[in-house]
Amino acid sequence: MGLRGQVRTRDGWAVQHAIVTMTDMTGSQVLRTGTDEKGAVQDDSPLVPGPYTVVVTAVGYAPVASTALVTRTGRADLGKVTLARQGGVELPPPGVWSIDPAHSTVGAVAQHLGISSVRGRFTEFSGRIEIGEAGADSAQGRVDAVINAATIDTGNGLRDKHLRSADFLDVERFPEIRYSSTGLTPAGPDRWKVHGRLSLHGVVRDIDLDLSYLGTGPDPWGGVRAAFHATAELPREDFAINYNQVVQAGIAAIGTTLRVELDVQAVQGETVPGA
């Protein structure tokens, strides 16, 4: 019996100490509880079967209300509740923001043998974000990033050497991967579609990033930081990376599509502290 659920941020982090309030259809409060350090709601208070309104609040986040149905067992399951940053529908303040590589991750995921995933990341990259005066509606906004292709790291030396070879990234001929945005389109609360051009393996293609803005706050060095999460899918053949090995039953050893995952912290200004 009781109430169960999970409270998460838009990029999947647990929201600790969120407050969960449950009221019946007359508006009377029947339960008030909080999330634990894992963002879980676990309350065993007895509940009468029927519909209820559940409101989830947390400091710094916009409240979320939903309807929960308590079954005959006396239990209701909220599932996953996602909280957005309070006031997060606007982009960070206008101006230049520099990507902090020490607190950012540029990763990629490939399917392996059709049953699992192999994850890798690039350890050296730099970038710059310009937010226009009109925020998301400004044509002046821009994102530019450069990645050192030879710094691919999947945790396996032999595999990384193969990925740097002419079969894949061919880092001797194409040492850099570059991305430059060409536009920005709102796609919902805290979400945008970044349109841009990706230069990879000597090929330039239009690639869109699905971008989530996670919020802005001060850092320990007296600066201001903004956080973003972005994803994209890249068909390997679009960038002339055609290597493949087929194993038993015709299954490709490596998937034909890469999923790019970016977790970015950017510092307001032209420089990054300590860089």
Side-chain angles (χ1 to χ4, degrees):
M1 71 176 74
L3 184 65
R4 297 290 186 272
Q6 295 283 334
V7 182
R8 294 283 186 266
T9 63
R10 287 188 179 277
D11 59 335
W13 290 99
V15 179
Q16 302 177 15
H17 312 303
I19 301 299
V20 181
T21 305
M22 195 172 189
T23 59
D24 60 22
M25 291 298 100
T26 69
S28 299
Q29 180 176 306
V30 299
L31 183 150
R32 181 181 171 88
T33 187
T35 56
D36 61 19
E37 68 277 1
K38 296 181 180 179
V41 180
Q42 300 185 58
D43 192 287
D44 294 325
S45 301
L47 298 170
V48 177
Y52 292 81
T53 298
V54 179
V55 178
V56 181
T57 61
V59 175
Y61 295 89
V64 170
S66 62
T67 299
L69 182 65
V70 176
T71 65
R72 287 182 295 177
T73 63
R75 176 168 175 160
D77 192 347
L78 289 177
K80 185 174 73 172
V81 178
T82 302
L83 296 186
R85 285 282 183 181
Q86 187 75 44
V89 294
E90 299 295 334
L91 283 175
V96 174
W97 296 74
S98 300
I99 294 175
D100 180 3
H103 296 94
S104 302
T105 302
V106 175
V109 184
Q111 191 177 48
H112 186 241
L113 299 178
I115 57 174
S116 64
S117 298
V118 172
R119 295 179 176 272
R121 65 188 184 98
F122 293 94
T123 59
E124 291 184 14
F125 53 89
S126 61
R128 169 188 172 104
I129 301 169
E130 293 183 32
I131 305 296
E133 291 294 333
D137 296 324
S138 174
Q140 301 171 5
R142 187 172 179 83
V143 177
D144 292 286
V146 180
I147 300 168
N148 182 344
T151 65
I152 183 67
D153 179 7
T154 66
N156 182 291
L158 288 176
R159 180 167 57 215
D160 295 345
K161 183 178 180 180
H162 191 195
L163 291 174
R164 296 183 189 108
S165 74
D167 284 340
F168 290 97
L169 294 174
D170 199 356
V171 300
E172 292 293 330
R173 295 175 60 203
F174 311 110
E176 291 183 341
I177 301 169
R178 290 182 171 269
Y179 185 80
S180 295
S181 69
T182 57
L184 190 66
T185 303
D190 296 332
R191 301 184 69 86
W192 284 265
K193 183 81 72 173
V194 180
H195 312 288
R197 303 277 284 170
L198 177 67
S199 175
L200 169 65
H201 196 241
V203 178
V204 180
R205 296 280 189 185
D206 291 329
I207 293 294
D208 290 344
L209 296 175
D210 292 315
L211 176 74
S212 296
Y213 169 46
L214 307 178
T216 304
D219 67 19
W221 303 279
V224 178
R225 291 179 178 247
F228 305 89
H229 178 74
T231 60
E233 290 194 353
L234 308 180
R236 287 197 290 116
E237 62 182 14
D238 285 0
F239 293 91
I241 302 176
N242 299 312
Y243 173 85
N244 214 341
Q245 177 184 8
V246 176
V247 295
Q248 208 168 19
I251 298 173
I254 301 169
T256 58
T257 300
L258 295 178
R259 187 171 72 248
V260 177
E261 298 179 349
L262 311 175
D263 287 288
V264 173
Q265 259 192 41
V267 183
Q268 191 172 28
E270 297 280 359
T271 60
V272 177

